[in-house]
Amino acid sequence: MTTNHALRYGSRTLALTATALGVIATAVPAAAEEQPTAEQILADCASGEGKCSFNSPQLGKAYLGEPRQVSELLFNCTDSPASQSMSWADTVGSSHSVGGSVTAGGGIEGIITASVTATYNYTWQSSHTETSSFTVTVKPGEVGWISRAQVMQQISGTWQTHYDDPKWGHYYWFVPATVTGPAPNGTDGKHSAVVVKSRKMTADEKKLCAGGSTQDKVFTRGR
């Protein structure tokens, strides 16, 4: 589904008239001025202008997300391996296939949480934060850091919004969407991973070790 060309069509369902329903789709052409974008529908859900629900949520299989650096860099300018305890912190948020990130405390977060809890008795959260410390050992002339990969999960469903008065020609709009966010450790047997990584210093980094206050020392720098 693309969001640049959001299209709609009307249909008769139960007692609703043909002008009551709108579906964000890509199969039926219509005039652009008559269409909302998926982002506009989600914005109305977040603001409360549209009375929204996230229908028929389906939990996908958990998977391990891409690892990313969560600590400072540790440089070893000495001639011996060096070990140092380093603190790390990692916050992983959620993304929406039609509206960017899902903000904690935002309007759509509560709607998704209520829907998933009612369907699965599972508390979904839009973000997850972990902090800890780890001992990093770095060889001479190398740089080390701590990396972490978070367990992630996708939730697919359909946004339904209802307007008191027709908007873009309809009382109801439907938007298929997928939300990707952090999952509890151990979901579907997947576990978050914290590892120490290292690499050789670059030529510019070696210059830092050649003089000044960093010569023959172990030091850290920001990410």
Side-chain angles (χ1 to χ4, degrees):
M1 182 194 72
T2 61
T3 59
N4 293 331
H5 304 285
L7 308 178
R8 65 171 172 81
Y9 60 85
S11 64
R12 177 180 293 275
T13 301
L14 299 178
L16 297 176
T17 67
T19 60
L21 300 176
V23 179
I24 301 295
T26 56
V28 183
E33 61 271 20
E34 298 176 356
Q35 314 301 312
T37 64
E39 289 87 347
Q40 286 174 311
I41 295 294
L42 264 292
D44 283 355
C45 290
S47 68
E49 181 177 346
K51 299 177 177 66
C52 293
S53 60
F54 188 67
N55 298 339
S56 305
Q58 298 292 320
L59 291 177
K61 284 288 186 181
Y63 63 94
L64 197 60
E66 290 295 320
R68 58 182 187 172
Q69 181 184 336
V70 295
S71 74
E72 293 185 323
L73 295 173
L74 181 64
F75 292 79
N76 184 0
C77 298
T78 72
D79 295 327
S80 303
S83 297
Q84 182 170 309
S85 178
M86 299 182 66
S87 297
W88 61 266
D90 188 26
T91 298
V92 180
S94 299
S95 61
H96 201 293
S97 62
V98 297
S101 62
V102 179
T103 304
I108 66 173
E109 181 200 29
I111 299 171
I112 299 171
T113 299
S115 177
V116 174
T117 299
T119 304
Y120 293 97
N121 193 28
Y122 160 66
T123 302
W124 178 83
Q125 293 182 325
S126 64
S127 65
H128 176 76
T129 299
E130 282 194 21
T131 60
S132 188
S133 61
F134 211 83
T135 298
V136 177
T137 299
V138 182
K139 296 178 180 179
E142 292 194 355
V143 183
W145 67 93
I146 299 169
S147 180
R148 181 176 182 272
Q150 168 70 40
V151 178
M152 305 292 288
Q153 193 169 31
Q154 290 188 332
I155 304 172
S156 300
T158 300
W159 285 100
Q160 174 185 323
T161 184
H162 168 239
Y163 296 100
D164 293 332
D165 298 304
K167 191 168 184 179
W168 298 291
H170 294 286
Y171 285 95
Y172 293 87
W173 283 93
F174 299 87
V175 183
T178 300
V179 178
T180 302
N185 204 31
T187 302
D188 294 333
K190 301 295 183 180
H191 297 270
S192 298
V194 179
V195 297
V196 173
K197 293 190 174 183
S198 63
R199 60 170 172 79
K200 296 288 187 181
M201 289 186 191
T202 65
D204 287 340
E205 289 169 341
K206 288 179 180 178
K207 292 178 182 179
L208 296 175
C209 294
S213 60
T214 60
Q215 187 175 16
D216 299 326
K217 292 185 177 180
V218 177
F219 67 97
T220 61
R221 297 183 70 190
R223 306 179 195 182

